[in-house]
Amino acid sequence: MKTIILKTLVLATLAAGQAYAAPISLDKTASITARYNGNAADIVGLDHDFQVEAGSNTTTLDPSNTGVEFLTADALFGFDFSTTGLLTVYNNLPAASNADYRLTFDFGSGLAHPIASFTLVDGSGLVSGVPGLTILGDHGIGLDLSGLVWTDGFGQFSAQLGTTAVPEPASAALLLAGATGLAAARRKRTSRA
């Protein structure tokens, strides 16, 4: 009986910790501001036809949802955001694996919900390394592409922005089953005494 209760408790605890984040919805008219290695002039946006000029580090989502919103000024990386919060990062040229490639993207007040998760969903374009994915406040993200080894000059990976984590429906059921198991064990132990 103790083994069954212990297994139930372990399962309930594991399940209670599991949650998924709903994809975040990005507004096509919201402005996104980017920086590359801390510099606004080193990244250019679609709204400025990818030309280096004042304010070119700001853009809205691609209305056709078929192209990238940002390019680094050195054309090394491209960044495509979908309306569902999926970010695809493209490596256009062989990138040095020991160089510093750090980016930030700020969605301002254009988000319906705060960013609560930022998760790698497809790293098939990478040979080794894991991109650094960071949430910056409620409406910004950070990317660290330093140290990545890409599959080729045109490798890519995808990461999903998510809203507040939502518990899996089974979590509550398993938690209840664990509590029921504890109550049954306590009752049995009390009746023996």
Side-chain angles (χ1 to χ4, degrees), residues 13 23 25 30 34 43 60 70 79 88 98 106-107 114 121 134 143 146 153 192:
T13 303
S25 179
I43 190 160
T60 56
F70 289 102
F79 304 90
T88 304
N98 60 350
D106 191 324
F107 299 90
V121 292
T134 310
L143 278 175
S146 306
R192 283 185 186 167

Side-chain angles (χ1 to χ4, degrees), residues 35-183:
R35 291 186 172 274
Y36 181 38
N37 289 332
N39 194 344
D42 289 340
I43 190 160
V44 291
L46 174 66
D47 289 356
H48 297 270
D49 294 323
F50 304 110
Q51 300 299 312
V52 177
E53 57 190 27
S56 63
N57 68 317
T58 302
T59 193
T60 56
L61 289 183
D62 175 17
S64 66
N65 212 25
T66 59
V68 297
E69 280 77 28
F70 289 102
L71 289 173
T72 55
D74 58 9
L76 184 57
F77 299 107
F79 304 90
D80 177 35
F81 290 94
S82 75
T83 55
T84 61
L86 184 69
L87 165 63
T88 304
V89 178
Y90 300 95
N91 177 20
N92 296 319
L93 303 165
S97 59
N98 60 350
D100 201 20
Y101 304 120
R102 298 176 197 278
L103 298 110
T104 59
F105 297 93
D106 191 324
F107 299 90
S109 60
L111 296 176
H113 303 285
I115 298 171
S117 67
F118 188 29
T119 310
L120 182 68
V121 292
D122 178 16
S124 61
L126 301 173
V127 174
S128 66
V130 177
L133 309 173
T134 310
I135 300 170
L136 305 173
D138 289 342
H139 49 79
I141 57 171
L143 278 175
D144 184 354
L145 308 179
S146 306
L148 297 179
V149 178
W150 302 78
T151 54
D152 57 35
F154 296 98
Q156 67 186 48
F157 71 84
S158 297
Q160 180 67 54
L161 296 170
T163 61
T164 305
V166 178
E168 292 283 350
S171 299
L174 282 173
L175 193 56
L176 182 61
T180 304
L182 278 175

Side-chain angles (χ1 to χ4, degrees), residues 4-18 171 174-175:
I4 293 172
I5 293 170
L6 185 57
K7 285 181 181 177
T8 304
L9 283 173
V10 168
L11 286 173
T13 303
L14 288 174
Q18 292 177 348
S171 299
L174 282 173
L175 193 56

